Amino acid sequence: YNILKPWKKINQGNMDISVNYNENILAGTRNGAGINLFTWLQFKNFSSIFAGAYVSPFDELDYYEPRTAGRIYRRNEYYNLFGGYNSNQNKKLSFNLNTYSGITGRISPTIPANPWGGGSVFVNWRVGNRFTLSLGPDIHMDYGDRGWVNTEDDGTIVFGRRYLRNTTINLDAEYVFMRDMTISLNSRHYWATGRYLGFYVLEEDGTLTDYINYGGYHDFSFNSF
């Protein structure tokens, strides 16, 4: 549904609903399915907001995370909410705010639901019609991400549950010399940390079971500029 003519305080906008379905054609199995809701509105002052939700009520089959041909990982259902606000980008100083959060289903008493969330704030500064500067952090926190850790010599595929934190800080600058000539500088600092909370065995059916005696250490911290 599109709002094409100004109405009260709204300049324009749209609302939509879509259904997503993925299938492995060769295996004849459903990889995943979900429903997406999205709304965007722009106001008379040219600021805008958006919000939405994605619901995936079924298990999803992941053929890549096991890192072994012929094996699958059965991901749980999950639910995601997101939204944001953009101020008038035509002004000398403007900003963009984005946020999201979600949660997966629970696997077992020792593998709880996995909540996650994050957001970003970008400040944009225009100096005349030639120079633009943008600065902002982007933070993502995952409180129980499940993923591949190791494949042992006997073929046992080890998965882990981990607390992840990713922080990205972007600084972008652009200068316009003339209509068809610009110079830009893009810099980014990326910092990722991971702390493991438990280890599991990936079974043949794609589910996880506890690996109580696993002694590996896989915590990490990674920086890149």
Side-chain angles (χ1 to χ4, degrees):
Y1 179 80
N2 296 303
I3 301 174
L4 303 177
K5 295 181 179 180
W7 177 72
K8 294 185 178 182
K9 295 183 178 181
I10 297 174
N11 196 30
Q12 59 178 316
N14 64 68
M15 291 168 276
D16 66 68
I17 179 173
S18 58
V19 177
N20 176 59
Y21 180 83
N22 298 319
E23 179 173 305
N24 185 317
I25 297 176
L26 297 179
T29 57
R30 182 191 68 240
N31 291 10
I35 300 174
N36 184 69
L37 304 172
F38 181 79
T39 300
W40 172 79
L41 296 173
Q42 184 190 73
F43 301 102
K44 292 292 181 65
N45 62 1
F46 293 100
S47 65
S48 62
I49 60 172
F50 68 90
Y54 186 81
V55 178
S56 179
F58 308 106
D59 290 348
E60 293 188 355
L61 301 184
D62 190 330
Y63 293 85
Y64 306 101
E65 189 63 24
R67 318 291 171 89
T68 301
R71 297 294 298 273
I72 63 169
Y73 169 47
R74 191 176 298 273
R75 294 186 178 275
N76 287 74
E77 72 278 6
Y78 66 92
Y79 311 90
N80 185 35
L81 297 173
F82 57 91
Y85 173 82
N86 300 315
S87 66
N88 187 349
Q89 303 296 299
N90 296 317
K91 290 188 174 182
K92 184 175 296 185
L93 192 65
S94 62
F95 69 92
N96 311 95
L97 172 65
N98 303 284
T99 184
Y100 60 89
S101 64
I103 192 169
T104 68
R106 181 180 180 182
I107 295 180
S108 71
T110 58
I111 314 179
N114 171 28
W116 74 86
S120 63
V121 179
F122 288 94
V123 178
N124 310 298
W125 181 37
R126 294 178 57 190
V127 183
N129 295 321
R130 293 184 179 273
F131 182 71
T132 305
L133 187 68
S134 177
L135 173 66
D138 188 331
I139 300 175
H140 172 81
M141 292 177 289
D142 203 318
Y143 297 94
D145 176 71
R146 279 90 71 155
W148 178 88
V149 173
N150 187 27
T151 301
E152 300 183 327
D153 294 337
D154 62 357
T156 299
I157 301 176
V158 182
F159 268 53
R161 180 169 60 91
R162 56 222 175 182
Y163 168 70
L164 301 177
R165 182 185 177 95
N166 300 327
T167 303
T168 306
I169 298 177
N170 295 280
L171 175 61
D172 303 324
E174 182 178 87
Y175 185 82
V176 180
F177 290 99
M178 56 187 67
R179 183 180 300 176
D180 56 354
M181 183 180 294
T182 64
I183 184 171
S184 62
L185 170 69
N186 309 102
S187 60
R188 183 180 73 163
H189 175 244
Y190 177 75
W191 180 26
T193 61
R195 178 168 56 89
Y196 280 84
L197 308 173
F199 296 97
Y200 312 95
V201 174
L202 179 66
E203 303 293 346
E204 291 290 339
D205 63 355
T207 59
L208 301 178
T209 56
D210 293 308
Y211 197 163
I212 299 175
N213 298 321
Y214 184 76
Y217 180 82
H218 300 279
D219 292 359
F220 65 86
S221 180
F222 175 79
N223 273 278
S224 177
F225 180 80

